[in-house]
Amino acid sequence: MAAPVRAQGSRPEAQPGAPGPGGDHPTRSDQPRGRARRPSGWPRPLRRLGLRARITVMFGLGALGLSAVMGIGTYLVARQFTLHQREAEAVRQTFVDASMVRSSLLVPDVDVVSLLESLDTSGSRSVIEFRGRWFSASVPVGEGSIPLAMRQLVLSGTAATELLRSGTEPTLAIGVPIPSVGAAYFELVSLGDVARSLQILALTLVGAAAVTTVAGAVVGRWASGRALGPLAAVSHAAEVIAGGQLDTRLAVAEDPDLRPLAASFNRMTDALKERIEREARFTSDVSHELRSPLTTLATSLDVLEAHAGDLGERGATALRLLADEVRHFQQMVEDLLEISRADTGTAQLAAEEVEVAELVDHLATAGGARGVPVSVDPAVARLRLWVDKRRIDRVVANLVTNAARYAGGARLLSASPGPGRPEQPGASGPGVEVEPAPTTTRGWVHLSVSDHGPEIEPAERHRIFERFYRGQAAGRRGAAEGTGLGLALVAEHVRLHGGRVWVEADPEGGNRFVVALPAAPAREEADDDRGSER
């Protein structure tokens, strides 16, 4: 279909369908109305991505938008300049050819077809209207190749140009009237080479936009990594602090934008440490102050129990209940004191070297496992442990007491070799994380207490070592109530020894609480180490 005809001298019309300035941007009237403005933030599709991925996508989109704007602008400028230059050249050549036609038509009996063949060059075709007749040197080109409006305008004596798109490639039609000889000269100039050049330019700009987009995404990925690097340090520090290392601090960055973040984080950690220490001191002070009146009450109860026979039945019952509650309260205060010492870092380990067999015999005869059957694997019987016997006695006593209260009693106290970590995934958890074993360890010794109770659910195995935690299973296994600190103290005592504690299902039924302790090196190895140090 032909474009509108215009008189010679005006600028070429833009191609139909080609993007024009501002063509990609809707006007204000095109914007949807009646919709609430979205609050500032990330677009909804990007909210599902991580922050680093969002930054990468935004960098890529920014690079794509910038390259698209630059590419479209470059294409439009190049297209306008190329078409203008080609049109000016074609018009100039057409007027030269029209002058030659006028001179040739002045000759009588001129062969118009031969004249046109001499004018036709590569990429152009000529048509002449002479004395009411149309002549052309090419069969496909003739009167019908020129739009009617343009023919009428040129035949009326006005030169004109028109951009045609009726064929496979754009063509520029130029008409020049020759009134001196009663003729009109038309020249159809092919713009196929210009179209191909513009197509190559467009493909090049698209490729450049794609490369720029990828480069922008790469730069965004790199920049987001550098920008989020300090957040990784903050995350690591937070995890370390959550693990109990309250002395962890962030290094003050040189970047003025990150310096307030590090300072605020450190102030928060200082405040958290101060609050925890204050609460620990409060617990310690309260527990310590309660020891004196509790000691007085316990002494008075001993006196009253010595004369219990002089009391009536109701008095004896009341005395028994009072004694149970006082001793329960006294035990809780002692547990709180132990916990507060561990929290404040004042707990001291009075360690001594002892053989496994000797330790188990002590626990079974005079310690907290009196009356519980024992089993010692010969592979560990002669191994030596560097332990605080009082604390290990308390560990085993708490496990036996826990079994008596909630699991029908302890079934077996055993010592065997084993790994330093539980083999069952998820058997351990918060509250039982401990320090690594000494590098001089010769292996691990497992002190295990097995009970008769129903198997503890895997989801609760890592929580029963938390302070004051009472799982659903504990409420079903007995009516007796403990302090809720027994297993938490077990974890603290084991941590001081550089060991681990966890609970697992016993193959013979019930549960098995396992305390893994590092074995001390043999005396010969220790002597060699001391000699090498000298």
Side-chain angles (χ1 to χ4, degrees):
M1 177 177 182
V5 180
R6 61 185 176 84
Q8 174 61 30
S10 61
R11 300 180 62 186
E13 294 289 336
Q15 296 181 10
D24 293 335
H25 305 283
T27 61
R28 181 176 300 273
S29 60
D30 295 331
Q31 300 294 336
R33 298 182 179 180
R35 181 182 299 176
R37 182 179 180 183
R38 182 187 299 276
S40 60
W42 294 100
R44 181 171 297 178
L46 294 180
R47 296 176 188 174
R48 302 176 183 176
L49 301 177
L51 181 58
R52 191 173 184 183
R54 297 179 190 177
I55 296 176
T56 302
V57 171
M58 294 306 295
F59 263 78
L61 292 178
L64 176 60
L66 181 61
S67 59
V69 172
M70 295 295 294
I72 293 175
T74 302
Y75 177 83
L76 292 177
V77 171
R79 175 180 174 275
Q80 188 73 11
F81 178 79
T82 303
L83 288 177
H84 178 73
Q85 290 293 103
R86 185 59 181 276
E87 181 182 2
E89 179 183 352
V91 169
R92 184 170 55 252
Q93 184 63 41
T94 301
F95 272 90
V96 172
D97 293 341
S99 178
M100 295 178 59
V101 168
R102 183 180 63 81
S103 300
S104 300
L105 291 180
L106 292 175
V107 178
D109 301 328
V110 63
D111 189 351
V112 179
V113 175
S114 299
L115 174 61
L116 293 178
E117 289 179 351
S118 65
L119 294 177
D120 286 351
T121 59
S122 177
S124 65
R125 295 291 181 268
S126 301
V127 178
I128 294 179
E129 190 276 336
F130 181 57
R131 296 177 181 176
R133 298 179 59 189
W134 290 87
F135 301 89
S136 66
S138 178
V139 175
V141 178
E143 178 184 2
S145 302
I146 302 171
L148 176 61
M150 183 179 181
R151 279 182 282 164
Q152 293 175 349
L153 183 61
V154 174
L155 293 177
S156 65
T158 303
T161 63
E162 185 174 353
L163 185 62
L164 307 179
R165 278 190 168 276
S166 57
T168 57
E169 58 185 22
T171 303
L172 180 63
I174 305 172
V176 179
I178 311 176
S180 61
V181 293
Y185 175 71
F186 298 87
E187 191 164 315
L188 303 176
V189 181
S190 174
L191 299 180
D193 55 342
V194 177
R196 286 188 291 270
S197 299
L198 292 177
Q199 185 178 13
I200 294 174
L201 176 62
L203 293 177
T204 303
L205 293 175
V206 170
V211 173
T212 304
T213 302
V214 174
V218 171
V219 172
R221 189 71 176 178
W222 174 81
S224 62
R226 292 297 298 269
L228 297 178
L231 295 184
V234 173
S235 176
H236 175 71
E239 290 181 0
V240 173
I241 292 173
Q245 301 183 22
L246 298 180
D247 293 331
T248 303
R249 296 294 183 273
L250 287 178
V252 179
E254 298 180 358
D255 192 322
D257 295 327
L258 296 178
R259 192 178 298 117
L261 173 63
S264 300
F265 185 89
N266 292 338
R267 286 196 299 271
M268 178 196 68
T269 307
D270 291 337
L272 176 63
K273 181 181 180 181
E274 181 181 355
R275 179 173 181 178
I276 292 177
E277 291 177 349
R278 183 170 62 250
E279 292 179 352
R281 286 194 301 269
F282 174 78
T283 303
S284 178
D285 294 342
V286 171
S287 301
H288 183 75
E289 292 298 326
L290 288 175
R291 293 186 69 180
S292 296
L294 282 175
T295 301
T296 303
L297 286 175
T299 304
S300 302
L301 281 174
D302 291 340
V303 174
L304 290 175
E305 287 178 338
H307 299 82
D310 299 336
L311 302 175
E313 180 179 355
R314 296 182 61 185
T317 301
L319 178 62
R320 185 173 63 255
L321 294 176
L322 178 62
D324 290 341
E325 291 299 326
V326 169
R327 291 189 176 94
H328 174 76
F329 192 23
Q330 191 174 20
Q331 183 62 49
M332 184 175 64
V333 170
E334 292 295 332
D335 292 344
L336 286 174
L337 279 174
E338 289 287 348
I339 289 291
S340 64
R341 293 191 190 101
D343 289 342
T344 57
T346 59
Q348 297 180 355
L349 197 66
E352 58 181 298
E353 198 174 31
V354 60
E355 289 186 353
V356 174
E358 178 186 350
L359 178 63
V360 173
D361 181 67
H362 165 74
L363 295 173
T365 55
R370 287 189 297 269
V372 179
V374 298
S375 173
V376 180
D377 193 314
V380 299
R382 307 301 298 175
L383 290 180
R384 307 183 71 82
L385 300 175
W386 194 258
V387 296
D388 185 337
K389 293 178 66 175
R390 182 187 68 84
R391 293 183 184 276
I392 295 299
D393 186 9
R394 184 67 181 276
V395 166
V396 175
N398 285 2
L399 293 178
V400 171
T401 301
N402 182 77
R405 285 176 177 170
Y406 306 116
R411 179 172 53 82
L412 179 66
L413 169 64
S414 61
S416 60
R421 293 182 176 271
E423 297 179 357
Q424 291 181 328
S428 63
V432 295
E433 295 294 336
V434 295
E435 301 173 356
T439 56
T440 56
T441 179
R442 298 184 63 208
W444 294 83
V445 177
H446 287 187
L447 294 179
S448 306
V449 176
S450 303
D451 59 34
H452 297 280
E455 181 180 343
I456 299 176
E457 296 294 332
E460 292 189 21
R461 292 177 184 174
H462 71 283
R463 298 200 61 192
I464 60 175
F465 294 97
E466 297 177 1
R467 301 174 188 181
F468 300 106
Y469 175 74
R470 302 176 184 275
Q472 297 179 357
R476 294 195 301 267
R477 284 185 287 181
E481 293 291 339
T483 65
L485 293 173
L487 294 182
L489 275 174
V490 169
E492 291 293 342
H493 288 318
V494 173
R495 182 186 62 83
L496 289 175
H497 286 82
R500 289 183 62 89
V501 60
W502 66 89
V503 61
E504 60 188 15
D506 196 322
E508 298 182 8
N511 304 287
R512 178 165 59 194
F513 287 80
V514 182
V515 176
L517 298 173
R523 290 185 176 180
E524 295 79 3
E525 298 177 2
D527 292 340
D528 293 341
D529 293 339
R530 286 193 292 269
S532 62
E533 291 175 1
R534 296 192 187 95

